[in-house]
Amino acid sequence: MPYVLGIDIGGTSTTAAVSRLHANGWGEPEVVRLGDRGNAVPSALHMGGDGTLTVGEPARPDATRLARGFSRRIGDDVPLLVGNEPCTPQALTAVLAMWVVERVLASEGEVAEQVVISHPAGWGKYRRELLHRALWEIGLANVTLLPEPVLAAERHAARGVLGGTLCVYSLGGNGYEASVVGWADPVGFRLLGSTAPVDRFGGDDIDDALAALVRGKLGRELRELDGPQVRLALYGLRRECTRAKERLSVEPETDVPVHLPRGHLRVPVTRSELEGAIRPAVRHTVDTLVRTIHAAGVDAGQVDAVVLAGGAVRMPLVAELIATELPVPVVVDADPQSTAAAGAALAAAQILAPPVTEYQDPVWTAEPPALRMSNPEPSSYVNEGEMGAAPPPRPPLSITPLKLPRMRSGQRIRGLVGGRP
């Protein structure tokens, strides 16, 4: 059955969704189960001793062979060292995208008619071209790149959220982004403005705050242990705190298991304790959202709804603080981590039928054009008209090119999706 594929490669997690073509049109997006235990997989690649790259993090990873957060570094001239090999962020992102395409191909039995991949709102043409070239070189030519907030808005509009102006509050694992999008008939949503905060804050920081609460409650038990025993006791604590954070999103209290040499403990924590620890940081993100609205030239009274996206927005505190500043509906998916991926699948279906949205990038089916070696990336608030401004030139760097390993079925996929033979 023909289908389209949407992919969201975030800083910490990657999700995907498909929409299938039925007799009466494209169906509702369905989230793809990429991981063994859930829909998402870590946005991480591990290089084995033989030079092959595998998706995810091993149980005991070698930090020198593990790459994380590379999709957010596209546009940085400095490569990442993975297993002593210099790898560009866009090449690593393309490998992860190819893995998702192959994973879906294995289950669907045929290649996607169209693929849409999300990107941060602040990206300009330079970063999109870097990723386009890397995708083309690995064999993925039938790909369109669209801003994540536009995709999140498309997802919620399809679910019945009405309005010409929406705010998108995205809180992922290692950062957040506030954006404003507006409806432009007939092309769909367009980005009106976006900003990235000065201070980094995301779901990982919430996990750290919860881990600090647990360590504080252990107190004497930890002080009575020596160095190696403390490390052993705290091994896996952060993973348990991640799970406890998810439970606290729906429950007022829970227990965090801690494994001590003398036995196992269950440390009780409450939602109010966690919210007290992170409230100032969440408040700062909401203030950033309000500033973004004003910087985009939109009056707060013109906002029709605030759309939440990203796994960390499950915390009730986020919607609570937004509601105190903006008296409009605050909407969130049951699985907000997959919101952008589902929106990307919807956009992919729309691209196959006119009208084509103004955000559609050219689909490369032949040798892509040479890249302009300037980086038009904004430093603060981003408006559509500012995305083409070039920054000061950077000093030239000499980077040894890395030939990344192909997936086993990569040659077959390259032929199917229109890449080089």
Side-chain angles (χ1 to χ4, degrees), residues 5-8 15-18 29 31 116 118 151 337-346:
L5 173 62
I7 304 174
D8 177 38
T15 54
V18 299
V31 177
V116 167
S118 70
L151 299 177
Q337 192 173 34
S338 302
T339 295
L346 287 168

Side-chain angles (χ1 to χ4, degrees), residues 114-147:
Q114 175 71 38
V115 179
V116 167
I117 299 178
S118 70
H119 67 76
W123 278 20
K125 185 178 180 181
Y126 176 73
R127 289 184 178 182
R128 294 198 304 271
E129 286 183 342
L130 282 176
L131 182 53
H132 258 313
R133 174 178 284 276
L135 292 167
W136 183 89
E137 288 177 346
I138 205 171
L140 294 176
N142 195 26
V143 176
T144 299
L145 306 178
L146 297 177

